[in-house]
Every structure is written in C-alpha cells, then in structure tokens.
Amino acid sequence: MRPFALKCKVNGLDMEREIPSSRSLLDFIREDLGLKGTKEGCGEGECGACLVLLDGKAVNSCLMMAVQLHGKELVTIEGLKGKDGGLHPLQKTFMEEGAVQCGFCTPGLIVASEALLRRKPDATLEDIKQELTGNLCRCTGYEKVLSAVEKARDERNA
Ligand code: FES
Ligand code: FES
C-alpha cells in the first residue's frame, strides 16, 4: 500500500510526513511523533485517556486514523501552554487542587476541560461534570478534578 503524504499542524508547527494509511492517530502521536503524554487506556473510545484537540475539538485519538489529521491542526497535552510559555492554567490548577494521583488520566481530563472552556467559558459545574463523563479516573474520586476545572474557569474569567 502506498504511503499517505500527510500535511498538518502539530502543537503549532507545520508538519509534512509520509505515513501508512492504516496508522491510527494515537499510534502516530505516541510512536511516530514520540508525544507520550497522550495515553492509551482502553483503545476503544471508552476511557478518554487518548483525548487530543483536533481543530479545537476534543477527539479520541484511538478511534481515528492519522490520515484524518490531513489539513487540520492537532494539539496534544504537550502543546497546551500558559501565556508565558509555562504551565497551562489547567495544569496549574490540577496541581494546586491535588487533582493528580497516578496521572494516567490527567492529560485526557485536561484536554477535555480545555475544549469545554474554549467552547463555553462560563461552564457550570454541571457542564463540567457532563463534559468529563467520558474520562475515567480510578484514583481521584473526581471531586478535586472538578475543583481544579472550576478554579481554572474562574481564573480565566477574572
Ligand atoms: S484509549 Fe481512547 S478512549 Fe480509551
Ligand atoms: S489519577 Fe490515576 S487514573 Fe486518574
């Protein structure tokens, strides 16, 4: 099978690369680009560990093919930064609120939360809970995660 000539933007940088057309987006991110912050949990669209932003929308990269990235902009957890180039506000509030334990789910939770706050800057607690229903976390019990997202929302809107 002939390789596919992929053109896209990844974390702010233009990229051109030949890839097998059968490559999953998740494998492309983790194995080809070496961006290991995006996690593989279930591999079936159930856990949210593999979430990335595609043209600003949160998508499960385990359910997509890399060719679907053509002409689009991908942002992974590594590409989320604060205005000063340091930690993103959600990364800060997750740390401050103790919303990270083993951390496996954290990139997906932050990507989902960022997608929500971009779409709905005044998201309510219910909106946040609804958005994060697709993100499984075995460690935190979610309370601190919700506090962290609310805190980031409030700081963003201050
Ligand atoms: S690894 Fe993609 S949703 Fe679980
Ligand atoms: S912090 Fe361990 S799975 Fe969420």
Side-chain angles (χ1 to χ4, degrees):
M1 196 183 295
R2 281 175 48 198
F4 180 84
L6 175 69
K7 280 190 189 181
C8 58
K9 191 174 260 200
V10 177
N11 294 336
L13 298 175
D14 289 325
M15 179 174 290
E16 289 187 30
R17 213 173 258 234
E18 296 216 326
I19 56 163
S21 47
S22 57
R23 200 82 169 132
S24 78
L25 180 56
L26 178 58
D27 285 345
F28 175 69
I29 292 168
R30 285 183 55 85
E31 307 307 327
D32 297 349
L33 303 182
L35 296 172
K36 303 283 188 179
T38 303
K39 304 297 184 209
E40 178 164 17
C42 64
E44 299 177 346
E46 299 291 340
C47 74
C50 66
L51 281 176
V52 291
L53 295 173
L54 195 60
D55 283 348
K57 230 178 109 190
V59 298
N60 288 313
S61 58
C62 70
L63 296 181
M64 296 189 68
M65 306 307 289
V67 295
Q68 292 176 276
L69 182 55
H70 191 62
K72 299 200 165 121
E73 176 163 15
L74 172 74
V75 177
T76 67
I77 188 69
E78 291 88 350
L80 287 179
K81 296 194 177 9
K83 284 198 182 105
D84 59 358
L87 287 179
H88 183 276
L90 279 159
Q91 293 169 332
K92 277 194 194 147
T93 59
F94 268 63
M95 286 169 59
E96 288 162 4
E97 294 298 301
V100 180
Q101 287 190 30
C102 80
F104 192 82
C105 67
T106 311
L109 281 165
I110 289 179
V111 166
S113 303
E114 172 66 7
L116 171 65
L117 295 179
R118 281 187 192 182
R119 197 171 73 242
K120 197 166 185 186
D122 56 351
T124 64
L125 180 57
E126 277 314 305
D127 293 330
I128 299 167
K129 284 185 183 169
Q130 186 64 35
E131 186 74 20
L132 301 185
T133 50
N135 292 79
L136 301 185
C137 174
R138 293 180 301 186
C139 311
T140 63
Y142 295 98
E143 288 302 321
K144 291 178 176 179
V145 170
L146 297 174
S147 309
V149 181
E150 285 193 293
K151 188 171 182 185
R153 173 203 60 200
D154 293 345
E155 287 178 4
R156 203 174 184 129
N157 294 335

